[in-house]
């Protein structure tokens, strides 16, 4: 199964998570925001050299359906530059928002779009037990699990606390580590064919306007 983490890197929370993964001999995929990666180049290097996969999560986390094609391609291109040389040709659209046009732009940039089929809902104020139980009770082989090592945008500032996420990740690995191995997205693809589905999603612009930047 694949643990994936969006919205980083963050100079405080990302190193904490990397230590947890190292202690449990688990690998993950980090979908990084270019603007943050550019500011914290040392973290991009640390993630890549630890054997984790680095993916593209846009330059500044704008919803792609609200941008035109040239803006979308510029977002992907700028993020690629910030995460080089560790970035791979995998892309996760901000908020999971995607239209046919934005999907074609990612394809034009030679990126494979990676979404998810398990959600930790860690952008809300659930505790570690709730998050861990949510994943452990439903996980199946081949799952792609959505987490956030930090939140680039949030509904309320109190949701920025990542401590429940750190504890939940440890609990998940410790509870099912005898049955599951946690690998990167590229490695997961080597074990089987990706599950494809139609994925069209648009977030309400009014809701997006209420979000607060980290």
């Amino acid at each position: 199964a694949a643990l994936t983490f969006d919205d980083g890197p963050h100079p405080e929370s990302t190193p904490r998570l990397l230590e947890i993964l190292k202690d449990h001999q688990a690998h993950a995929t980090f979908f990084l925001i270019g603007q943050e990666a550019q500011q914290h180049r040392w973290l991009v290097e640390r993630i890549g050299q630890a054997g984790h996969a680095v993916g593209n999560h846009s330059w500044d986390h704008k919803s792609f359906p609200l941008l035109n094609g040239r803006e979308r391609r510029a977002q992907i291109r700028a993020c690629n530059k910030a995460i080089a040389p560790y970035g791979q040709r995998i892309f996760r659209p901000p908020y999971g928002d995607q239209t046919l046009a934005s999907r074609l732009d990612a394809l034009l940039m030679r990126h494979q779009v990676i979404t998810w089929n398990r959600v930790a809902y860690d952008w809300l104020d659930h505790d570690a037990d709730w998050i861990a139980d949510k994943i452990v009770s439903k996980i199946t082989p081949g799952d792609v699990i959505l987490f956030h090592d930090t939140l680039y945008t949030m509904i309320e500032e109190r949701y920025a606390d990542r401590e429940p996420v750190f504890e939940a990740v440890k609990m998940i690995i410790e509870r099912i580590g005898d049955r599951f191995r946690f690998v990167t997205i590229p490695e997961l693809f080597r074990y089987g064919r990706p599950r494809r589905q139609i994925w069209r999603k648009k977030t309400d612009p009014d809701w997006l306007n209420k979000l607060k930047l980290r």
Side-chain angles (χ1 to χ4, degrees):
L3 302 171
T4 68
F5 297 90
D6 289 6
D7 286 14
H10 186 275
E12 295 178 6
S13 61
T14 305
R16 287 276 310 279
L17 180 59
L18 289 173
E19 286 301 314
I20 292 169
L21 294 171
K22 179 181 178 181
D23 291 344
H24 291 81
Q25 298 181 326
H27 288 100
T29 302
F30 289 79
F31 288 96
L32 303 184
I33 293 175
Q35 195 171 59
E36 299 300 307
Q38 182 173 275
Q39 293 181 16
H40 307 294
R41 289 286 307 162
W42 63 278
L43 264 177
V44 180
E45 181 177 352
R46 183 172 171 182
I47 293 169
Q49 291 190 352
H52 305 293
V54 175
N56 188 311
H57 197 40
S58 83
W59 172 252
D60 61 2
H61 210 265
K62 288 186 173 65
S63 175
F64 269 38
L66 300 180
L67 305 177
N68 63 42
R70 183 166 62 179
E71 291 169 331
R72 289 191 291 260
R73 294 189 294 273
Q75 287 264 340
I76 295 173
R77 190 178 299 111
C79 183
N80 278 344
K81 184 176 180 180
I83 62 178
Y86 299 99
Q88 302 195 34
R89 293 280 176 172
I90 51 178
F91 172 70
R92 175 167 286 167
Y95 309 105
D97 289 355
Q98 180 172 257
T99 60
L100 177 60
S102 69
R103 173 66 184 87
L104 291 175
D105 278 321
L107 182 63
L108 185 64
M109 301 294 292
R110 296 184 293 116
H111 281 62
Q112 186 167 2
V113 174
I114 307 296
T115 52
W116 57 83
N117 70 314
R118 296 281 175 244
V119 186
Y121 295 101
D122 61 344
W123 57 88
L124 301 174
D125 54 355
H126 299 300
D127 62 26
D129 287 320
W130 188 95
I131 296 172
D133 289 344
K134 183 78 174 176
I135 300 303
V136 170
S137 65
K138 296 183 179 297
I139 190 169
T140 59
D143 278 358
V144 177
I145 308 166
L146 171 64
F147 284 98
H148 297 77
D149 52 324
T150 186
L151 293 178
Y152 190 73
T153 59
M154 66 201 79
I155 303 171
E156 298 289 345
E157 291 183 7
R158 71 178 189 273
Y159 298 158
D161 181 18
R162 297 292 87 192
E163 200 62 40
V165 178
F166 301 147
E167 290 302 316
V169 170
K170 286 191 288 186
M171 292 165 65
I172 291 166
I173 298 174
E174 289 168 359
R175 287 186 192 178
I176 59 176
D178 60 334
R179 295 186 290 120
F180 283 84
R181 187 159 66 93
F182 294 98
V183 299
T184 66
I185 290 291
E187 186 175 358
L188 189 68
F189 284 172
R190 291 198 290 270
Y191 289 107
R193 185 175 298 174
R195 184 184 305 156
R196 300 184 183 277
Q197 68 180 85
I198 295 174
W199 186 288
R200 294 190 180 98
K201 177 179 176 293
K202 293 182 181 180
T203 299
D204 182 0
D206 290 336
W207 186 84
L208 292 173
N209 290 333
K210 295 177 182 178
L211 295 176
K212 301 174 183 179
L213 288 173
R214 182 177 66 214

